[in-house]
Structure formats: C-alpha cells, structure tokens
Amino acid sequence: MHPAISVIFFTVTSGAGFGFLALIGLGVPLPEGGVGAFVAALIAGGLAVAGLISSTFHLGHPERAWRAFSQWQSSWLSREGVCAVITLTLFGFYALSWVFFDNRIGWLGLLISIGSAATVFTTAMIYAQLKTVPNWNTMLTPLCYLLFALASGVLLAASFGYWQESGGLATKLIAVFVVAVAWGAKLLWWQAAGGNTLASRGSSPETATGLGFIGKVRLLEKPHSGENYLTKEMVHQVGRKHANKLRLIALVLGAAIPLGLGLLVLAAGLPLHLLALAFVSLIAGLFVERWLFFAEAKHAVSLYY
Amino acid sequence: MTSLPTEITGKKLGLVIDLDTCVGCHACVVNCKEWNTGGYGAPLSDLDAYGADPVGSWLNRIHTFEVTPEDAPAQIVHFPKSCLHCDDAPCVTVCPTGASYKRGEDGIVLVDEEMCIGCGLCAWACPYGAREMDPVENVMKKCTLCVDRIYNDNLPEEDRVPACVRTCPAEARHFGDLGDPNSDVSKLVEERGGMDLMPEQGTRPVNKYLPPRPKTAPAVEPKTTKAKKLDAKGFLGWLDKTLEKL
Amino acid sequence: MGVHDRELNTSPHVSDEVRKTTCYMCACRCGINVHIRKGEDGQPKVRYIEGNRDHPVNRGVLCAKGSAGIMQHYSPARLNKPMKRVGERGKGEFQEIEWDEALELATQWLSGPRKTDPRKLAFFTGRDQSQSMTGWWAQAYGTPNFAAHGGFCSVNMAAGGIYTFGGAFWEFGSPDWSNTELFMIFGVAEDHDSNPIKLGLAEVKRRGKKIIGVNPVRTGYNAVADEWVGITPGTDGLFILSLIHELLKMGKVDLDYLLRYTNAPYLVIDNPGGADHGLFARDKAGDILVMDRASGKVVKASKKGVKPALQGECKVSRKTTRPVFQILAEKYLSDEYSPENVTEKTGVPVSQIKRIAQELAEAAFEKQIVIKQPWTDMKGEKHDKMIGRPVSFHAMRGISAHSNGFQTCRALHLLQIMLGSIDCPGGFRFKPPYPRPVPAQPKPHGNAVAGKPLAGPPLGMPRGPEDLLLEEDGVTPQRIDRAYSWDAPLSAHGMMHMVISNAHAGDPYHVDVLFMYMANMSWNSSMNSRGVMQMLSDKDENGEYVIPKIIYSDAYNSEMVAYADLVLPDTTYLERHDCISLLDRPICEPDVMADSIRWPVVDPATQGEGRDVRGFQSVLIDLGARLGLPGMVNEDGSPKFKDYADYMANHERKPGVGPLAGWRGNGESHGRGEPNPNQVQTYIDNGGFFEAHVPDEARYYKHANKHWQDWAVEMGLQDGPVENVFNLYHEALAKFQLCADGKMEPQPPETHRERIKTCFAPLPIWYPPFEGEGIDEADYPYHALTQRPAAMYHSWGSQNAWLRQIHGTNPLYVPGKICEAVGLEDGDWAEISSHHGMIKVPVKRMDAVNVNTMWTWNAIGKRSGAWNLDPDAPEAKKGFLLNHLIHELLPPKGDCMRWSNSDPVTGQAAWFDLRVNIRKASDQSGPVEPQFPEQKKSRPAPVNVEYGKEWN
Ligand SMILES: Nc1nc2c(c(=O)[nH]1)N[C@H]1C(S)=C(S)[C@@H](COP(=O)(O)OP(=O)(O)OC[C@H]3O[C@@H](n4cnc5c(=O)[nH]c(N)nc54)[C@H](O)[C@@H]3O)O[C@H]1N2
Ligand SMILES: Nc1nc2c(c(=O)[nH]1)N[C@H]1C(S)=C(S)[C@@H](COP(=O)(O)OP(=O)(O)OC[C@H]3O[C@@H](n4cnc5c(=O)[nH]c(N)nc54)[C@H](O)[C@@H]3O)O[C@H]1N2
Ligand code: SF4
Ligand code: SF4
Ligand code: SF4
Ligand code: SF4
Ligand code: SF4
Ligand SMILES: [Mo]
C-alpha cells in the first residue's frame, strides 16, 4: 500500500495524543492546575487534534469531512470520527475544570480514558477490518495501536516529572515496561505478518482470474501502459532487504533508545523530564514502523498487476 | 444506509463476461469512458492528458494474462474487469459517509458523489480494483452498470443496456438479471460454468466470468484412418475412379 | 432503507440531436451515430459516439478507436490553418498563411511540371479513402506517379487473390460466418475489417465451431482461437502446400468444382527451351484446349458438354501437353511438401499438419451443407441447390508482408479452391463488386505527355509482360517508384515505400514536387525512418533540397508535417464530406452492396478558436480547376464543381455511374441513373449509407452465377457478364518466365532474370524470404514483427488523450527461451540489431509466441514533440519503432543494385522479413534509441482533460 505521510502522521500523533489523554483521564499524577495543567492538556489535546486534522489532508473533499460522522453503525472510519470528537469534547470540559479550578473530575476522566481507548481502537480497526490486506487483517493490529498509544502516552506523562513523589520505582518502571510490551506486540505482529499473506487466505493470480484450472497465471500486459490510481495506491511494494533495514531502524529509534534512556534515567535517578527525549525517539521510531505498516502491506488488487 | 440494503427485490443486475471470446480490443473500455465522462456524476478526467505521465480514471479495464498449462503451449487470456456489484460489498459497509451504497431494487452498487469525501477506503476494501479516485475531481468513481442508460426513457428501448455491452464487437459481455434463474444470463452461466472471482474474499460477486473453452494442443495426433494414403500413381488411379462418377 | 433508497434520475437528457455519418478512426468505415449537445460556448459539441445498428459494416458495435473519436476530433494536435515552412525542413517551424496564398502557391508549384514533364509530380496519398477521385485527378494531371498506401500495405493479398480467382481477403471478401464449420485465420492481428471480423468470430463461437489461428504470436484473435499454429514467420506457403500435399494423398479434392470453375483441365505445353513452354495449348482461333476424357480427343475448353480429363498427356501440334491438374498433382504430391519435410522450416509439428489437413477434409466433405436455392450458372445450366463446403479462411499481412507473400497468398487460394470452398455456403464469400478478375480490371497507364492527361488510370492490373510501364529500352522504369518495372511487374498498388528513396537517389529520375496526403512518411509509414528523414532534408551542391518542393495535407501535427514546405490543413472526419464509393475500396458485405458518405456533422468554424481548415478532396478539386485539368473545368474554364460534395453528386465516371450508387436520377433508381442533385441529402436522411441486398439466387457462386452477373450489370458494378476461370496455374506468370528465359519480349536485364525465373512460378511455390537469404543466419538468428494494437490506429492514435493511456509505451516481447539465453528480465533494456541498424528498447518476457520470434505493437513510438505531446512523453522515451531496423533495400549483394526490400512480383513491402539479433544493453536506463531532435509543437496542449464536465 502507498504510505501516505498524512496518514502516517495521523495514526502516530493522534495515537500518542489519545494515549496521553487516557492517562490523564485515569488521573496519573500531573500538575495540579494552572500553567502546568494547561501545558499538559494542550500537548495531549494538541497531538490528538493535529493527528485528526492531518488525516483530513488525504481526503479528496475535506470540506465534506463532517459527513463522515453519519455511518457509525457500519463504518469503522465513521466510528473513529465519532469517538474522537466525543472524547475531545469531554476533554474540553475536563481541561477547563482542571486548569482553572484545579479539579480533575474523576468520572469524566474515566469516560475520557474509555473514549480515548475506543478512538485508538477504531482507528486500528479501519485497517484491521480489511480482508483485502491480510497483513492488517488481524486483532494484533488494534493491540499494537493501543499499546503504542499507551506507551507514547506513558512516556509523555512520565516526562512531566510528577511521578517522583507518588509511587516507587515500580510505578516508574511501568513507563519503560509499556514500551517494551508494545514492541513485543509489534514483533508478534511482524511475526504474524509473515504468515498473513494473500496466499494464506487462499488468494493468488489463479483465484483472482479463475484461470487456475488451465495453468500458472502471469500478467503479460497491464490494462494501460502507464500507472493508474490502483497501481499508485495499492500496488506499492518495498524490497525485502530495504524493509528489514527499516525494521531495524524502527526498533533502534522506537525501542532501544527509549528503553535505554528510560533505564538510565531510573537507574541514575536523573530527572524524569529526560524521558521527553525517550518519547521523541519513540515517535520517530513509530513513524518508521507506520511507514512499513503501509509499504509492506500487499493488497489483493496486486494479484491483478 | 451504507449498511447493505435490508429490503431487496431479489433482482441482481450484472454482467456476464465471456473469457472465451474476449479478444482484448478495449472497445468496452473506451466506450464506457466516453459514455460516462459526460454522464453520471463528475467527468472521468485525465490528468496530464498530453504530458509525460497521463493518468485518467476509468471504470473498466482489460488485463492480459499469460496462462501456462503443464503440457501445452502458453496461452493468452484477455481479461475485462469492472465492478462486480457484489452481494456482500465491503466497499459499501466501510464507507463513512453513506456515499457508497447498494441499491435494494436491482443490486447496483453506486457512489453518491455529492456525499463522497474521497477518503479512498472503499477502494481499499474492494479486492478487485474496481474503484478509482478521480485524479482531478477527487471523488470515487466506479462502474454504475450504466444506471443512466438501462432505465433511460430518452434512449430507444434496444439501447437500454450498458454502453460496454452495446459496443462489444465480440459478444463477450452480457447484461441481465442474475437473480432470475431463468434469465438468459443465468442460463449462460449455468451452461458454461460461470465463475466467481476470488470467492475466498466472501464478496459474493454478481458478475460472472465464463471460462475459456479447452484448446487443442499441437501434439494431438491425427485420427488413424483406414483410407490408404495415395502416392502419385495411386492418386491418379483414384482420380480415374472419381471422374467416372462425375 | 426502502427498496428505493435514493433519489436518482435514471433518465437524464442524453443529447439534443443524433447525426449519422461514417467513422474514420480507421479504414473499416463503420456507421456511427454522433450525439450532438450544446456546449458551454453554446456551440454544438460531440456528446457521445455509438455504432449505427442499421449499418451493414458494424451493425451497431463500435471499437475502441471509434469510441475515442471525441478525443481525436478535439485533439490539441489539430492543424488549424495553412502553413508555410520558415525554418529548415524537419524542425517544424512554420508561418500560418491564408488559404488564397496557400492555393496560389500550390497551383504555381504544380503547373510547372504539368507544362514540361508531368512525371516530375509525384502524388502519393497514403491512407486515402478517395482513390477513385485522387487517381482520376492524377490521370487528368497526366502523371503516372500516383499511388496510395497499398504497395507497402498488403498488395500481395489483393494481387495474389485477384490474379488467382478475381477476389481476395482484405476487404474483397469474407468467410461465411453463419455457415462455416471450420475457420482458419492466417497472419491477422486486426485487419481493416476490424469490427466485422470480431462480429464474425463471435458468431462462429456462438455456433460452437472451431477456429484455428496461424500466427507466430498468440494474442488477440489467436488467443481466442481453439487451436494455435505458432508458425515460423515467412513459412506459411510451405505449411499450406503441405496441407495440399496431405489432401491430395487423402484424395480429398473437389474435382467437380475444379472442372467447373478452374483451369485445372487446361492443357499446358511442355516444351522446355521453347518460346511456348508453360503456355496453354490453343487452337488456331486462339481458344484454349483440353483433352476429352471419354474420347481422348483434344477439344476447345469452351465446347458444350465436353468432359475434360484432369490427367494424362497428349500431343497438340506435335508438342507434349498435360492438364494443369496433372502437373499440379505431381508437384504437390512430391515428398518436398510432406509434413515430415516441412516441419523443421515451419516449426509446425507433423502431427498438427496432418490433423489439420484431416479436419479440413472432414469439414469440407463430411459436413457438406446444402441450401435449397435454385440458381443458374453462366453456361445456362440450372442447379436446384447450392452445395457448401463449409471450411473458410481469412488471411492478411502476416502472409502478405513477406517477399514470398504473393506466392503464399496464391497457395492459400489454391487450397481453398481445391476444397471447393470459394463463394459457396460456409466457405469464403465475395463482397460486391467482387468477383472482379483481372480482365475486368483496368490496365496501368503511363507514357506521360506534357500538358496532357494519361490515356487511363495510373494504376491497374497488367495482363502480362506487354503491360509493363517501361521506357523504349524495355528496361528503365517509367514510374518514380519503379512500379510495373522488372523490379515488381505486378505492383498493382504502386510502391509508395520507394518514392522518397528513389526520388532522393534520382533513380530512375528526380522529381520537382512531392505531393502527399495522409501518410506519415517521415516516421511509421516508412522503412528506414531515420534514413527517410535524412533524404527529405538533404540538399544538393547548390544548397537546394534534393526533393525540391513538398506539399502535404494532414489534419494533425504529425512527424511528416515537419518536412513539408506547404501544409494544407484537412478537417477531422466529423467536419467534412467524404465518399466511400463502389469505384474505390468498398464497404460491402457478401449479401449487401453498399456505399456511404461522411458529412460535416459539426462545422469546423464552430469547433475552436481560429479554426480555418478545408477538406482535402475539396481542395484538390479547387487545385484541379485552377490548373484547368480536364473534367474539373467547364468549357469557359470556370470550376466544374463547387466542392467535393458537388463532385460526389454530379461527377459521372461513365454515363449513369458516379461516385455514389444510391438514389440516383429522380431518387428512385440505384446503381445506374442520372446524377441527382439531392443525392447527398438523401444519404444523410438515410443514415449516411446506401445498401442493396443481393438477390437470393445470386448470393453464392457469384463467379459463375448468371443471376449475380445480371444483377451486377443492372447495379452498374460491371457493364456485361465477366467470365471468371480460377487460375490454379497462372499463364501470365509463365510468360514472365519466358521473358526471363529470353524467349519472349520484352526481356528483363541480366540482373533480374534469375529471380524472375524462380519467383514467377505459374503454380504456387515457396521460397525463403529474401532478407534471410541476404544475411548470415548466425548473425541474425531471430525474427522480429509488429502487430496492430486494436486500440490504436498507426501513428494517429497517440494524440488521443484516451487511447494513449492504453498504449503509451511498447516493450519488445521476447520469447522466454531467448530471455534465458541472453539473460533478460522484464523491464530490462536490450539492443536489437539488424543488417541495417540498432535500436535500444525495453523488453518483456512472453511464452505464448513462436520460439524464434520477438514482436512489438506497431507505431507507438513517437518523435519527441510531435503530435503536440510533451517532449518527454512516454511515446518518445519508452515507445519505439521497429522501422529503424527495416531497410527499404535488401542487404547489398555486391552488384551495386538497389534491390527493394519487397516482393519481386508485386512490390509489396516485406516488413516481416526482418531478421534480428538481441543482447542486453550495457546501459540499463532509458530512453529508447534512436532519439531525434525535438519537433516544434504547432500549439500548446492543455494539461488536464475533463471532457463533458459542462453536462453533469
Ligand atoms: N514496422 C511497421 N511499419 C509499418 C507497418 C507494419 O506493419 N510494421 N504497416 C505499414 C502499413 S500496412 C501502413 S498502411 C502504414 C500506415 O502508416 P500511415 O499511412 O503513415 O498511417 P498513419 O500513421 O495512421 O497516418 C498517416 C497520416 O494521416 C494523418 N491523418 C489522420 N487523419 C487524417 C485526416 O482526416 N486527413 C488528413 N489529411 N490526414 C489525416 C495522420 O495525422 C498521419 O500523419 O504503416 C506501415 N508501416
Ligand atoms: N486497430 C487497428 N486496426 C488496423 C490498423 C491499425 O493500425 N490499428 N491498420 C490497418 C491497416 S493499414 C492494415 S494494412 C491492416 C493490417 O491488418 P493485419 O494484417 O492484422 O496487420 P498486422 O497488425 O501487421 O498483423 C500481422 C499479423 O501477422 C502476424 N505475422 C507476421 N508474420 C507472419 C507470418 O509469417 N505468418 C503468419 N501466419 N503470421 C504472421 C503478426 O504476428 C500479426 O499478428 O490493419 C488495419 N486495421
Ligand atoms: S469489447 Fe468485448 S472483446 Fe473487446 S475487450 Fe471488451 S469485452 Fe473484450
Ligand atoms: S467489485 Fe468492488 S466495488 Fe464493486 S461491489 Fe464488489 S467490492 Fe464493491
Ligand atoms: S471514498 Fe467516498 S465512497 Fe469511498 S468510502 Fe470514502 S466517502 Fe465513501
Ligand atoms: S456497465 Fe457502464 S459503467 Fe459499467 S463498465 Fe460497462 S459501460 Fe462502464
Ligand atoms: S473499426 Fe473502429 S475505428 Fe474503424 S471505422 Fe469501425 S469503429 Fe471506426
Ligand atoms: Mo496498411
């Protein structure tokens, strides 16, 4: 599949945003109110919103984006929109009372956490639902999306440095731990992806054309000598070697560095603010991971090209 | 509404495509473009039409496959592909806006371009590559089964068929109600063993494909006949006898 | 969610008006309904083009090209105004001028040669569909140097057929689709009958009958064929003669048919070294003789009730003579033609040859069909039924575009005739006005005289050596293209592919004016395109162009336009009057005599800013009048015809017969009748065409059918009954051999004698294609071919925004075996070399092809900048022409001769004799080579196209 920057940016940043929102909602220790709270709220909401906005960049008609809320009964994309908007609205109120009245409304926070999880889940399901892309078509996809959202959220939250007071090393370790778990899930996903192929779903040029009963099927001539929307959008492929290199980069940026930093910070008892670096590195890693998520995915249409 | 229709008439309009006679001439492709660019919804536009990288939207395309049997020379199959108007159309259920829908009255799958936000998800959901985002208008285009022809009172009765069907010089495209077991198309599918494309995708396509008839391989031996082969002399003898009879 | 879920107007307005005319996106000439609808600017615009259901040619269907007519008509490459060259030839730098200036200039240039030496005008008209008019113009002007594209197209097919049985494939006949039991198609990708063939194949398929495709490449028609014969290029003759060998061995020959309709019983003089060797035995009165098999006596072939022998030997005035059939049987029964002996050369397995011969015999004789339709033959004998031998054949350039094509076409017709399957139910059928054997065709005319018209039409069918167009010396050609000379005695369509080359070489002479129409001669239409571009721009020692003046009419900014000094912009096919005449290449189907017109369904003046174009035929008539050519001016010297439309209605070729057959006289009479001033309008009112149905009793056996003959005379197709004896054995060819033997006048030069002796065999033979003989097999072990893409018409489809997306580039398709041998994979670049040159092209592997044959789509490659396309257009950078490898001359033999790369009998360009070698290119990146300096655009092209936006 064609890895569109807008979509990569959207899934990664909004993931981080909603991850953070979820933790805020759960009431993790953060500035009590005022400027500190404002900054936290801004970062969380900002990331989520920025992601959503960028997602509209790949729309042919962004001005009609509002229509996307109508089909929540059947469409994961619609549901994602609905969840995102509800969650962010609720967060609006939550933030107000937090910033101005130093009051983090617990029950509201809980709703926001659930909403955030739902939003990330629905985002993931947009891809996970597609039978046409076996790589994506697994529950491991939402799992990864959720865990990465959580991991980014945790690193963000932790980097505000309010975890010193409350809790001991255990709680702090979580920050590092979640990152490890998330990548563990992703490794599983990659593992599975190797098996989730069109072939494993019984699809091949032979079934795509119904000509298997005659013999081996091979494309001789594309319908048109040039490219078309389908080849540009769905028949994009990266070479194995290339992909493996990129996976390594993703792991270094997204896993090794954040984990390393995390452990260092904890072990050496350095200020948790340094975890911000870990967060940045994780996000960088996730950009690469997400690029591969698309670029490596093989669409059924490729059987015709 | 982008759930699949719950009330249906049982009518399933669609195409039956004969891979045994399709000569890959592209007549249906271009006639489809020509009819639809001035018809349903936005034009089928062409980006950089006279330039170095022209890309246009089309509703129907012809692939050419080479098929190699175990024991015979490779053969060529010309393979037309447009929307199959699936019963379980994933392109419909994924649509967030309700622009993509399947008609209960005849099963035609359409895009209401006024509502389309051009997210492209339906094209991702279609296993067959039957949907194309218009490069200039940025709305999703797909085969309409010529819904603006088949019921069109401004056209003579006999012309109320899809443009591609009317124009195909090789009779490789047939249009009709595949929901009616007694329709000509259903019978054709019955007789010729019409196939679904990628049944494993569970889309339950309405359009069917008729497989190529078996070919004779060069190596097939001639019949062994008793009639003895004539040499020059024998031939002239035969000539005599036969001329007697004339 | 009810059943009626959405509001949707299912009856939108389609168009304001439907205008019926004739398509010209190719030469098939289908009927079209052009839907006209008002555009934004309030002017009529083309909304949609569909096939005309009533039309005899396409019966409602429309091909890809026809469906893309809108994009052709509105092409940004359209020429809008007459242009005068300002830059050097080839650059494409022009200045737009007014029509008056253009026409005066043309008149001035053309009047010179007419006064001094009319041959100095070479008038060649490419894809012309008005040859009966352009030829008539050339005749009136007085130059023998006229021809259209036939010579490089498929003259072998036309000549091979007409010399053999008075008809041919091409457009002159077609299989009896609805009755045939077995159909064999040789060397066809598209053919001119684009839609009819597809409709026919569909019918044969529907009827569940078998189709056999003989073709090195298994695409298109050969892909749907039930059996494929992947023959080696240039060897069909051998394959066919082997089938005949098998049929003779099985005794599966229709003797009754041979006796009735062919020269099988004619006695041939066997007198080696004599001046009559190989000629028919004749009596004093000159009547051909046969031997009566009852009495053994020698009698006139025409004698009533004679039962001629097909075998034996007898003396006629002390000379040994034998029936044609005896000679034929001996020849083809010999082992030379046994499947075992031809399998290696042809690449066709023995089993396949034998089985196909069996299947032919079975279909012809076991599945004989009988139509209860009484008819009377020309001898007056009454028949109560029509017997059919339901095997049919079709063939085109695959067998004709070789230097042995004439004989191969003859061989195929011989096969049809031996099976008794010509113009019978289920067999091959003549299309009116055919059958038209050589005696019913004009002879070629030359002997140009200053200021005078020619005695007859420039082109025709020589009866024998006596009709060649040679100077007094009996050797020097009269024509610039060397047609009707010893190079190609029966070059019935001329040799357009040699004109520029000969005019440049001054062989036989130089010309003043080269006047061309509708032929992209500086590109896809020529062999050795690069060389031709050079010849067109070469200058002599005084800095004058070697070809001094070039006038050219085109409708679009093609590669050829760049080489013209004066460009006459033609209209598109939707803007002009045209006439698809029975005097020309007709559009009839076996059961209908038909002709048709084009008319301006849109007026050029409304079709774009500053559009000022004129139909070429109208311009030609105007020029004719300005030159005062006979037939084009009245006594007082005033123009006889206002324009082409006027000519179409009022010109008479002979009393009562004109360009259009329908609604003559008062509008009641057809075929013959006074000119009818309302004729063109009547055509328009009747859908743009006229058709008359062949009477039932005349439908078959036209070559011998009294009812047909009477009807043909009544319809003005011929002036009296035409005798038509099928020439299994061709006496005219024997005469050429006698000339070559020095036994008959005129005599060819020494250089030509040997090849005339071999190639003019009076019974069909096979000999290896010339190019292969001229090179070392080891250097060029492979064959390379082109095919017509169904969705592209030669060069002119590339300006079409829709068609160019389908074929914007063309790889060379290379057999898997060769790919593996030279290490090529899909997308690699390879260097292809021939004895003439080298090209660099992208390749693609293919297995459904003859193992020694590579091929590509024809005419996709374009010169950078041509057709007003982006200079970096894929057509220019990834598309290529095979023509750069094909020379118009054969590999030099060291005899200092310029041997044309053509069939020695007809002059047919031998495109498919090409031999090549291939290797992986050292530099694995584009563009294709050769590249040429960019041609200047005539105007900018828009970026995006959103056709029809104003209507939705
Ligand atoms: N390698 C290879 N070369 C081949 C062949 C092959 O098989 N292989 N085939 C050969 C054969 S058979 C043929 S017939 C030739 C065909 O080649 P050409 O005869 O050159 O045919 P085109 O290139 O289609 O068109 C010739 C010109 O007609 C112009 N034209 C189009 N419409 C109009 C019109 O309405 N009015 C006027 N005045 N001009 C118009 C086009 O712009 C173009 O410049 O190619 C030959 N060349
Ligand atoms: N769409 C479209 N239609 C056209 C044209 C066009 O440009 N486009 N051009 C028109 C013109 S001008 C012409 S002349 C006709 C020509 O119509 P065709 O005769 O169909 O011409 P080609 O496309 O050259 O096809 C030649 C075929 O012969 C095969 N062949 C080559 N060598 C041999 C051989 O030795 N033996 C056998 N058995 N086969 C061989 C080739 O593989 C190819 O399939 O088409 C006309 N129709
Ligand atoms: S028009 Fe008919 S034959 Fe031609 S490509 Fe389309 S389906 Fe095939
Ligand atoms: S073919 Fe594709 S677009 Fe058409 S209905 Fe089926 S899934 Fe939808
Ligand atoms: S592109 Fe249009 S039709 Fe397709 S899913 Fe998106 S909104 Fe629906
Ligand atoms: S049915 Fe109509 S829209 Fe669909 S492919 Fe045919 S012509 Fe195009
Ligand atoms: S075959 Fe196609 S292009 Fe040629 S005349 Fe017919 S419709 Fe037009
Ligand atoms: Mo041609």
Side-chain angles (χ1 to χ4, degrees), chain B residues 66-225:
Chain B
E66 186 173 64
V67 192
T68 314
E70 292 293 324
D71 49 3
Q75 72 190 65
I76 300 297
V77 179
H78 301 289
F79 194 93
K81 191 156 53 59
S82 53
C83 173
L84 307 170
H85 299 279
C86 307
D87 275 346
D88 285 340
C91 56
V92 167
T93 48
V94 298
C95 177
T97 63
S100 182
Y101 69 106
K102 184 174 175 73
R103 285 156 55 98
E105 56 201 294
D106 53 18
I108 297 178
V109 173
L110 289 175
V111 171
D112 180 339
E113 297 176 7
E114 296 302 305
M115 294 170 73
C116 174
I117 59 173
C119 67
L121 191 54
C122 53
W124 285 11
C126 169
Y128 307 107
R131 293 180 164 234
E132 300 187 19
M133 186 86 72
D134 187 88
V136 179
E137 292 287 327
N138 298 317
V139 290
M140 192 52 70
K141 304 296 295 188
K142 69 174 293 303
C143 161
T144 66
L145 208 65
C146 285
V147 68
D148 54 352
R149 285 182 65 92
I150 58 178
Y151 303 110
N152 195 327
D153 310 329
N154 302 319
L155 292 175
E157 188 79 45
E158 58 183 359
D159 284 344
R160 294 179 201 162
V161 294
C164 57
V165 172
R166 188 195 187 287
T167 211
C168 174
E171 286 174 27
R173 305 177 76 87
H174 307 266
F175 166 73
D177 179 2
L178 287 130
D180 167 7
N182 301 321
S183 67
D184 295 354
V185 278
S186 298
K187 293 207 199 94
L188 205 53
V189 171
E190 187 56 38
E191 289 158 19
R192 297 274 311 276
M195 331 176 275
D196 283 354
L197 303 186
M198 276 195 270
E200 67 277 7
Q201 280 279 340
T203 52
R204 301 201 294 127
V206 168
N207 285 14
K208 298 282 184 273
Y209 283 75
L210 306 179
R213 295 189 297 188
K215 311 274 184 195
T216 320
V220 174
E221 288 295 330
K223 290 204 225 68
T224 43
T225 54

Side-chain angles (χ1 to χ4, degrees), chain B residues 1 31 34 37 41 46 48-49 51 56 58 66 98 137 154 159 166-167 171 215-216 220 223 229-230 238, chain C residues 6 12 48-49 53 60 62 206 223 225 246 251 355 358 362 804-805 847-848 943 945-947 949 952:
Chain B
M1 213 176 307
N31 204 273
E34 154 186 61
T37 194
D46 305 288
D48 196 19
W58 301 71
E66 186 173 64
E137 292 287 327
N154 302 319
D159 284 344
R166 188 195 187 287
T167 211
E171 286 174 27
K215 311 274 184 195
T216 320
V220 174
K223 290 204 225 68
K229 292 273 185 161
L230 309 164
W238 166 83
Chain C
R6 306 261 175 136
Y48 178 59
I49 303 176
R53 289 187 186 270
L62 200 68
R206 199 188 325 118
E246 285 294 298
R355 183 170 38 75
Q358 266 185 8
E362 199 177 308
R804 74 182 290 250
Q805 289 179 55
D847 292 310
V943 179
V945 169
E946 285 197 276
Y947 195 80
K949 194 173 167 108
N952 40 38

Side-chain angles (χ1 to χ4, degrees), chain C residues 584-605:
Chain C
D584 211 308
R585 290 167 59 177
I587 54 161
C588 307
E589 287 296 312
D591 287 326
V592 285
M593 155 184 162
D595 62 12
S596 64
I597 65 161
R598 288 187 194 94
W599 57 286
V601 295
V602 287
D603 170 0

Side-chain angles (χ1 to χ4, degrees), chain C residues 560-632:
Chain C
M560 184 60 201
V561 166
Y563 290 89
D565 304 317
L566 177 62
V567 178
L568 305 171
D570 201 353
T571 67
T572 71
Y573 71 107
L574 298 177
E575 298 170 318
R576 65 168 173 255
H577 282 102
D578 247 325
C579 163
I580 296 89
S581 170
L582 282 153
L583 305 175
D584 211 308
R585 290 167 59 177
I587 54 161
C588 307
E589 287 296 312
D591 287 326
V592 285
M593 155 184 162
D595 62 12
S596 64
I597 65 161
R598 288 187 194 94
W599 57 286
V601 295
V602 287
D603 170 0
T606 68
Q607 297 301 294
E609 201 47 41
R611 187 150 172 77
D612 182 16
V613 294
R614 296 186 188 173
F616 174 72
Q617 289 79 3
S618 293
V619 169
L620 202 58
I621 283 171
D622 185 333
L623 287 174
R626 289 167 188 255
L627 290 163
L629 301 186
M632 291 173 231

